[in-house]
Amino acid sequence: MSFRLALAFIIMGTSLSVKSQDHPAGFTKIFDGKTMKGWDADPTFWRIENGTFVGEVTAAHIVKTNTFLIWKGGLPANFELIAQYRISPEGNSGVQYRSEEVKGIRYALKGYQADIDGANIYTGQNYEERGRGFLAMRGEKALLKTDQKPLIEGFVGNSDSLKSKIKNGDWNEIHIIAKGNHLQHFINGVLMSDATDEDTKARKFKGVLGFQVHVMPTMKVEYRNIYLKNLK
């Protein structure tokens, strides 16, 4: 095989690999990278730049309550969500799912959240916004019962060791798998928290997807390459 032919195969293989990574098998892209089609948010805090959703709080535009970029394309029940994110060191954000809009407060959500913060204190944990609070901290395998604190049945890893898998100030991949009452959060392919929700009062089996800008003096978060796959 000639050098040129071999090089062509290498280039072609690389292109195919990138294309496959850009569109995971079985997933649907739910952000076109150009418009807000299918999404709703307060334009004071959310915009699109270079194919990316940007959520930002500045001294000139202070947010008074947590505000969300909300997907209007349905109420996913059993699903997988994959997205890339990048967050400023002081930032606080998260991916909201199986959630509901808060009456009387526009762009506010309550429900499960795959937590993300720039200092990576909470990144990867399961937190219920405007609800039960901390459900499964990073590293924990938790069982949730009605009117009880989370029962820690085991661990998926050491919190500090898992933290080392998260890139500071760079792009990371978040992957959520929600099936039945089993909820798993991954960062960069590593399982960060695992929760089984047997709380018959509070658990949810479907709901809204959204991305959070938290109340902070200043912060910036970016999301891109957002994919959804519905599961049976």
Side-chain angles (χ1 to χ4, degrees):
M1 182 183 293
S2 71
F3 173 78
R4 288 184 178 180
L5 183 58
L7 182 61
F9 276 113
I10 291 171
I11 293 172
M12 182 176 68
T14 302
S15 300
L16 289 173
S17 176
V18 170
K19 183 177 181 181
S20 176
Q21 291 174 2
D22 285 347
H23 197 119
F27 284 78
T28 299
K29 195 170 187 177
I30 59 173
F31 169 43
D32 64 18
K34 299 176 182 179
T35 70
M36 283 291 231
K37 183 179 180 181
W39 298 82
D40 190 22
D42 186 337
T44 304
F45 304 107
W46 286 98
R47 65 184 186 273
I48 298 170
E49 287 183 358
N50 302 317
T52 300
F53 280 131
V54 180
E56 187 168 22
V57 178
T58 65
H61 297 99
I62 300 297
V63 64
K64 294 182 179 180
T65 187
N66 296 346
T67 188
F68 291 82
L69 169 69
I70 302 171
W71 186 57
K72 309 301 286 188
L75 302 174
N78 296 321
F79 70 91
E80 292 188 44
L81 179 81
I82 294 175
Q84 292 178 322
Y85 76 88
R86 181 167 63 183
I87 190 167
S88 60
E90 79 285 9
N92 192 325
S93 184
V95 181
Q96 206 75 17
Y97 63 99
R98 288 187 179 177
S99 296
E100 58 185 279
E101 297 187 49
V102 178
K103 293 180 180 179
I105 308 176
R106 197 172 183 193
Y107 305 120
L109 295 178
K110 61 180 180 179
Y112 300 115
Q113 182 185 118
D115 216 338
I116 293 169
D117 70 296
N120 292 321
I121 297 171
Y122 306 112
T123 302
Q125 73 174 8
N126 194 321
Y127 178 83
E128 188 174 63
E129 176 86 358
R130 294 177 178 267
R132 292 168 289 175
F134 298 103
L135 302 181
M137 304 292 283
R138 184 172 62 233
E140 291 181 347
K141 184 175 182 180
L143 178 64
L144 311 175
K145 294 284 191 177
T146 305
D147 297 328
Q148 295 183 33
K149 293 181 179 180
L151 303 174
I152 309 308
E153 294 191 307
F155 297 90
V156 300
N158 173 272
S159 180
D160 289 336
S161 296
L162 293 173
K163 179 179 177 179
S164 71
K165 306 298 182 182
I166 307 168
K167 303 171 190 175
N168 292 317
D170 202 352
W171 290 100
N172 291 279
E173 180 187 85
I174 187 164
H175 182 186
I176 300 167
I177 301 178
K179 190 167 185 179
N181 65 345
H182 190 201
L183 314 169
Q184 295 179 303
H185 299 170
F186 299 78
I187 303 289
N188 298 326
V190 179
L191 180 60
M192 295 281 161
S193 66
D194 186 301
T196 300
D197 198 347
E198 295 184 355
D199 183 342
T200 55
K201 287 184 181 179
R203 66 184 179 182
K204 301 293 183 184
F205 289 103
K206 66 177 182 178
V208 175
L209 287 174
F211 297 90
Q212 182 192 63
V213 161
H214 199 280
V215 173
M216 302 291 289
T218 62
M219 67 154 285
K220 183 178 180 180
V221 66
E222 301 165 89
Y223 290 97
R224 68 183 186 187
N225 297 330
I226 305 168
Y227 296 94
L228 179 68
K229 178 167 70 172
N230 290 310
L231 305 174
K232 294 181 179 179

